[in-house]
Short mmCIF file of all heavy atoms in Angstrom, two decimals:
data_model
loop_
_atom_site.label_atom_id
_atom_site.label_comp_id
_atom_site.label_asym_id
_atom_site.label_seq_id
_atom_site.Cartn_x
_atom_site.Cartn_y
_atom_site.Cartn_z
N PRO B 1106 -36.31 4.27 -36.47
CA PRO B 1106 -35.40 3.20 -36.89
C PRO B 1106 -34.57 3.60 -38.17
O PRO B 1106 -33.40 3.22 -38.19
CB PRO B 1106 -36.37 2.11 -37.28
CG PRO B 1106 -37.64 2.38 -36.44
CD PRO B 1106 -37.68 3.84 -36.37
N ALA B 1107 -35.15 4.37 -39.02
CA ALA B 1107 -34.43 4.74 -40.30
C ALA B 1107 -33.34 5.68 -39.87
O ALA B 1107 -32.22 5.61 -40.34
CB ALA B 1107 -35.42 5.48 -41.15
N LEU B 1108 -33.60 6.63 -38.86
CA LEU B 1108 -32.60 7.56 -38.41
C LEU B 1108 -31.41 6.74 -37.69
O LEU B 1108 -30.24 7.02 -37.93
CB LEU B 1108 -33.21 8.56 -37.41
CG LEU B 1108 -32.39 9.68 -36.91
CD1 LEU B 1108 -32.13 10.66 -38.16
CD2 LEU B 1108 -33.09 10.41 -35.76
N MET B 1109 -31.82 5.75 -36.91
CA MET B 1109 -30.82 4.96 -36.27
C MET B 1109 -29.92 4.26 -37.26
O MET B 1109 -28.63 4.16 -37.14
CB MET B 1109 -31.50 3.92 -35.36
CG MET B 1109 -31.94 4.55 -34.05
SD MET B 1109 -33.13 3.48 -33.14
CE MET B 1109 -32.19 1.99 -32.87
N ALA B 1110 -30.56 3.74 -38.32
CA ALA B 1110 -29.77 2.97 -39.33
C ALA B 1110 -28.78 3.97 -40.08
O ALA B 1110 -27.68 3.52 -40.26
CB ALA B 1110 -30.73 2.40 -40.40
N ILE B 1111 -29.24 5.09 -40.29
CA ILE B 1111 -28.34 6.11 -40.97
C ILE B 1111 -27.23 6.47 -40.04
O ILE B 1111 -26.05 6.57 -40.52
CB ILE B 1111 -29.18 7.36 -41.37
CG1 ILE B 1111 -30.04 6.96 -42.61
CG2 ILE B 1111 -28.19 8.48 -41.82
CD1 ILE B 1111 -31.10 7.95 -42.96
N VAL B 1112 -27.51 6.70 -38.75
CA VAL B 1112 -26.43 6.99 -37.82
C VAL B 1112 -25.29 5.90 -37.78
O VAL B 1112 -24.17 6.17 -37.72
CB VAL B 1112 -27.05 7.31 -36.40
CG1 VAL B 1112 -25.87 7.36 -35.37
CG2 VAL B 1112 -27.88 8.61 -36.37
N ALA B 1113 -25.87 4.61 -37.80
CA ALA B 1113 -24.99 3.50 -37.75
C ALA B 1113 -24.07 3.36 -38.97
O ALA B 1113 -22.95 2.91 -38.86
CB ALA B 1113 -25.73 2.20 -37.54
N SER B 1114 -24.65 3.85 -40.13
CA SER B 1114 -23.84 3.72 -41.36
C SER B 1114 -22.84 4.90 -41.51
O SER B 1114 -21.92 4.74 -42.35
CB SER B 1114 -24.74 3.75 -42.51
OG SER B 1114 -25.45 4.94 -42.68
N ILE B 1115 -22.98 5.95 -40.80
CA ILE B 1115 -22.12 7.11 -40.98
C ILE B 1115 -20.57 6.78 -40.90
O ILE B 1115 -19.82 7.18 -41.77
CB ILE B 1115 -22.49 8.27 -40.05
CG1 ILE B 1115 -23.79 8.93 -40.63
CG2 ILE B 1115 -21.45 9.39 -40.05
CD1 ILE B 1115 -24.46 9.92 -39.63
N PRO B 1116 -20.16 6.07 -39.85
CA PRO B 1116 -18.75 5.74 -39.74
C PRO B 1116 -18.22 4.98 -40.95
O PRO B 1116 -17.13 5.18 -41.46
CB PRO B 1116 -18.56 5.02 -38.51
CG PRO B 1116 -19.76 5.36 -37.62
CD PRO B 1116 -20.88 5.56 -38.59
N VAL B 1117 -19.08 4.08 -41.42
CA VAL B 1117 -18.70 3.25 -42.63
C VAL B 1117 -18.62 4.13 -43.81
O VAL B 1117 -17.66 4.01 -44.64
CB VAL B 1117 -19.57 2.04 -42.82
CG1 VAL B 1117 -19.16 1.22 -43.97
CG2 VAL B 1117 -19.75 1.20 -41.51
N LEU B 1118 -19.57 5.09 -44.00
CA LEU B 1118 -19.45 5.99 -45.15
C LEU B 1118 -18.21 6.83 -45.01
O LEU B 1118 -17.60 7.17 -46.07
CB LEU B 1118 -20.72 6.93 -45.08
CG LEU B 1118 -22.09 6.22 -45.38
CD1 LEU B 1118 -23.19 7.29 -45.26
CD2 LEU B 1118 -22.10 5.74 -46.86
N GLY B 1119 -17.83 7.18 -43.78
CA GLY B 1119 -16.60 7.93 -43.53
C GLY B 1119 -15.35 7.08 -44.01
O GLY B 1119 -14.42 7.76 -44.47
N ILE B 1120 -15.36 5.88 -43.84
CA ILE B 1120 -14.23 5.03 -44.32
C ILE B 1120 -14.11 5.10 -45.85
O ILE B 1120 -12.96 5.32 -46.37
CB ILE B 1120 -14.43 3.56 -43.84
CG1 ILE B 1120 -14.24 3.46 -42.37
CG2 ILE B 1120 -13.42 2.60 -44.53
CD1 ILE B 1120 -14.51 2.09 -41.71
N PHE B 1121 -15.19 5.10 -46.52
CA PHE B 1121 -15.18 5.20 -47.99
C PHE B 1121 -14.70 6.65 -48.40
O PHE B 1121 -13.89 6.80 -49.30
CB PHE B 1121 -16.47 4.87 -48.63
CG PHE B 1121 -16.77 3.43 -48.51
CD1 PHE B 1121 -17.67 2.86 -47.71
CD2 PHE B 1121 -16.05 2.53 -49.31
CE1 PHE B 1121 -18.06 1.48 -47.69
CE2 PHE B 1121 -16.28 1.10 -49.32
CZ PHE B 1121 -17.27 0.61 -48.40
N ALA B 1122 -15.18 7.68 -47.67
CA ALA B 1122 -14.80 9.03 -47.87
C ALA B 1122 -13.29 9.19 -47.68
O ALA B 1122 -12.59 9.85 -48.42
CB ALA B 1122 -15.65 10.00 -47.00
N SER B 1123 -12.77 8.50 -46.59
CA SER B 1123 -11.38 8.56 -46.29
C SER B 1123 -10.50 8.01 -47.34
O SER B 1123 -9.39 8.54 -47.73
CB SER B 1123 -11.06 7.92 -44.98
OG SER B 1123 -9.71 7.97 -44.65
#
Side-chain angles (χ1 to χ4, degrees):
Chain B
L1108 189 68
M1109 285 164 58
I1111 289 167
V1112 169
S1114 68
I1115 287 172
V1117 182
L1118 292 175
I1120 290 174
F1121 289 108
S1123 179

